[in-house]
Amino acid sequence: MTQTVSREDRTERIAETMTDAAIHGRSLWRDALSRFLRNRAAVGAVIALLLVLAFVLVGPAFARFSNEEIDWALMGDVAGQGGPSLANGHYFGLDELGRDLYARTIQATGTSLTVGIIGAAVAVIIGTLYGAFAGYVGGSTDNLMMRGVDILLAVPSMFIIILLLVMFGRSFSMLFVGIGAVSWLEMSRIVRGQTLSLRNREFIEAARAAGVGTMTIILRHIVPNLMGVVVVYATLLVPQIILTESFISFLGLGVQEPATSLGALISAGAATITFGTVWQLAFPLFFFLVTIVSLFFIGDGLRDALDPKDR
């Protein structure tokens, strides 16, 4: 009798454990968030990036000069009294034209982040839809679409961007067009490969048998199942676009005056470092490195959190 009761109790405990596990079960995204939060490097990168965003958003409230205002009193003494100082209100010093580098760095950091985020969003949208359509339709359409991508990838992306800027003018909007014209290509190939592994799944076959249209299947069934890959690649794409924009601005073909970006400030600082104005290079370079490294660590953390092999 005791043995029978013990077995019944054991069965009830197992049932209660299974019920509790079902109640307290976590979704895929919550499980990924838990993994991400256990990654100290990724969490530290998020904090660092939030501090950079706070600098861009809150920093202007502490600026005593605008980004275009020239301090005529210190303009000719940039290497002397024009250095970083709390007394004269130039926290990061002056640039070579006597403008406040603190306000210029805020504007430059905001510009680089804007280019990176918007450029990555455009590239992800175009690349995801293009790759998902090519992978789902398949056949000659897939071959034709992907051969076009291969041809564009064969041309150096920097050459395409510079050519567009030279032909159609060096403007902020054309910079978006140039970067967006080449940034979505790799995304389309990644999405296309993932779509090929999904298009013959049971839920896709069921939707097709029910008469659901091609675009509806792509938007409602294919794309949602690719969000893990898309999110990770988008996070890694933002620093790549910022690097591209910074290099273009370093060459003098990117953001034009009076606007500026981190690449433009780094270029100006590198040109004047021989005059003893180290701060003109140090402050923009610091925010540039913190932003890039943080984004890469966040991307690596998301990749590890969403990796199905580690789940």
Side-chain angles (χ1 to χ4, degrees):
M1 181 67 180
T2 304
Q3 185 176 4
T4 305
V5 173
S6 178
R7 288 179 180 176
E8 291 178 354
D9 292 342
R10 193 179 307 166
T11 303
E12 291 179 358
R13 291 175 182 175
I14 294 175
E16 290 177 357
T17 302
M18 294 178 63
T19 303
D20 293 340
I23 294 175
H24 297 91
R26 296 183 299 181
S27 65
L28 182 147
W29 290 102
R30 181 175 295 181
D31 183 62
L33 178 61
S34 176
R35 289 175 179 271
F36 183 84
L37 293 177
R38 289 198 297 267
N39 190 328
R40 295 183 179 180
V43 173
V46 171
I47 295 174
L49 187 60
L50 289 176
L51 291 176
V52 173
L53 291 175
F55 171 73
V56 174
L57 298 176
V58 183
F62 300 95
R64 294 175 58 181
F65 300 87
S66 68
N67 59 297
E68 299 181 24
E69 186 177 353
I70 298 176
D71 192 337
W72 299 99
L74 300 177
M75 179 180 177
D77 192 23
V78 176
Q81 298 182 12
S85 173
L86 296 178
N88 57 23
H90 300 295
Y91 312 129
F92 292 176
L94 299 174
D95 66 1
E96 71 281 2
L97 297 179
R99 295 172 297 188
D100 183 52
L101 190 61
Y102 174 78
R104 301 275 292 169
T105 303
I106 292 175
Q107 182 193 31
T109 306
T111 299
S112 295
L113 286 173
T114 301
V115 172
I117 294 174
I118 296 180
V122 173
V124 165
I125 293 173
I126 297 176
T128 300
L129 295 178
Y130 190 95
F133 184 82
Y136 178 76
V137 174
S140 58
T141 302
D142 178 30
N143 290 329
L144 180 63
M145 294 176 68
M146 299 315 297
R147 294 301 75 76
V149 171
D150 292 338
I151 292 173
L152 292 176
L153 285 173
V155 182
S157 58
M158 199 62 62
F159 174 77
I160 297 177
I161 298 174
I162 294 176
L163 183 63
L164 290 173
L165 291 172
V166 172
M167 291 178 58
F168 299 102
R170 293 175 290 178
S171 64
F172 198 69
S173 58
M174 185 51 58
L175 183 63
F176 276 113
V177 173
I179 294 177
V182 297
S183 300
W184 62 273
L185 299 174
E186 286 290 345
M187 185 71 200
S188 66
R189 297 182 69 177
I190 294 174
V191 171
R192 182 249 183 187
Q194 296 293 321
T195 303
L196 290 176
S197 64
L198 289 175
R199 66 177 184 177
N200 293 323
R201 296 285 184 89
E202 290 79 5
F203 64 94
I204 300 296
E205 294 289 347
R208 192 182 298 117
V212 180
T214 299
M215 290 306 301
T216 303
I217 292 177
I218 292 174
L219 296 176
R220 296 186 59 181
H221 300 287
I222 298 292
V223 173
N225 283 278
L226 300 175
M227 288 307 298
V229 176
V230 170
V231 169
V232 172
Y233 188 80
T235 309
L236 296 174
L237 188 60
V238 173
Q240 294 179 13
I241 293 179
I242 293 177
L243 284 170
T244 301
E245 180 276 326
S246 298
F247 181 73
I248 293 296
S249 297
F250 188 87
L251 297 177
L253 297 174
V255 179
Q256 301 299 306
E257 295 287 352
T260 188
S261 68
L262 290 176
L265 289 185
I266 291 172
S267 176
T272 60
I273 193 172
T274 55
F275 300 103
T277 56
V278 182
W279 61 86
Q280 292 191 42
L281 176 63
F283 288 109
L285 186 60
F286 170 77
F287 284 96
F288 176 78
L289 291 177
V290 170
T291 302
I292 296 297
V293 173
S294 298
L295 287 169
F296 275 124
F297 272 111
I298 292 173
D300 288 339
L302 287 174
R303 182 182 59 192
D304 295 339
L306 294 171
D307 190 355
K309 296 180 182 178
D310 295 336
R311 192 171 301 126

